[in-house]
Amino acid sequence: MANTYHQIYIQLIFAVQGRHSLLKKEFRQDFFKVISSMIKELGHFPIIVNGMSDHVHCLVGLNPDKKISDLVKDLKTNSSHFLKDKKWVPGSFKWQNGYGVFSYSRSHLNNVYEYILNQEYHRKRTFKEEYLGFLKKYEIEFKEEYVFEFIQDE
């Protein structure tokens, strides 16, 4: 029987509902480790998870037998429950609907890894500018009114 070989790398980006800064610095790195474990439990290979108080970036080696939409749905659901159970976020916690997913070749992994690792240090743009920049860079057609709900004072 022949084996199946694959090499599929994606970056997922998703945001806290309303872009509220709920992922506090005190627990953020521990939370990102939990998300990384969840990615592994869902059958994929987590490379790095990092982000800011209002959004998350995940670089993942994708299992081709599983759907990206299922990964994101399960990741958002499980991580929301985790935050509620830990009471790390006051009140209710929700992720915004939607997400960004971008694919990369192996030769780009180091640059993407460094970009995600250094989220706090390259913060020269707002999340909205960063996210719309991804959509434009990868020539993804979009209508801005359907892209994440952004806080008006950015």
Side-chain angles (χ1 to χ4, degrees):
M1 178 179 205
N3 289 325
T4 300
Y5 302 98
H6 60 87
Q7 193 174 71
I8 306 167
Y9 301 104
I10 61 168
Q11 178 182 189
L12 298 173
I13 304 171
F14 48 95
V16 175
Q17 187 176 46
R19 291 268 335 293
H20 297 290
S21 296
L22 297 177
L23 305 176
K24 301 296 181 195
K25 201 171 198 116
E26 307 87 68
F27 67 80
R28 192 179 313 150
Q29 289 310 311
D30 289 334
F31 180 58
F32 293 156
K33 287 177 188 173
V34 169
I35 289 179
S36 184
S37 294
M38 289 177 182
I39 291 168
K40 189 171 187 170
E41 289 170 13
L42 292 168
H44 303 278
F45 181 74
I47 299 170
I48 186 172
V49 176
N50 202 8
M52 298 295 290
S53 62
D54 59 356
H55 71 281
V56 177
H57 292 256
C58 306
L59 182 57
V60 176
L62 188 68
N63 179 337
D65 292 331
K66 303 192 181 261
K67 293 192 298 186
I68 294 170
S69 58
D70 289 342
L71 167 62
V72 176
K73 177 183 64 104
D74 293 342
L75 201 54
K76 284 180 168 183
T77 299
N78 297 347
S79 61
S80 292
H81 290 308
F82 177 86
L83 284 173
K84 288 174 188 173
D85 291 345
K86 281 288 194 184
K87 296 182 173 46
W88 283 353
V89 175
S92 66
F93 178 87
K94 290 184 181 179
W95 295 108
Q96 282 198 6
N97 291 328
Y99 57 92
V101 61
F102 307 94
S103 61
Y104 297 94
S105 66
R106 185 160 184 79
S107 64
H108 290 100
L109 287 187
N110 198 39
N111 289 340
V112 178
Y113 183 94
E114 289 295 321
Y115 178 84
I116 293 172
L117 178 66
N118 294 306
Q119 276 290 292
E120 293 201 47
Y121 304 106
H122 73 248
R123 197 68 179 158
K124 296 177 179 90
R125 299 181 297 167
T126 65
F127 174 63
K128 181 177 183 177
E129 291 168 334
E130 177 188 31
Y131 191 76
L132 294 178
F134 272 107
L135 295 176
K136 290 172 186 171
K137 177 180 178 181
Y138 294 102
E139 300 178 10
I140 297 171
E141 290 185 35
F142 66 95
K143 291 185 178 182
E144 197 161 336
E145 65 266 24
Y146 298 117
V147 178
F148 294 134
E149 177 185 317
F150 291 105
I151 297 172
Q152 296 301 319
D153 59 356
E154 287 191 314

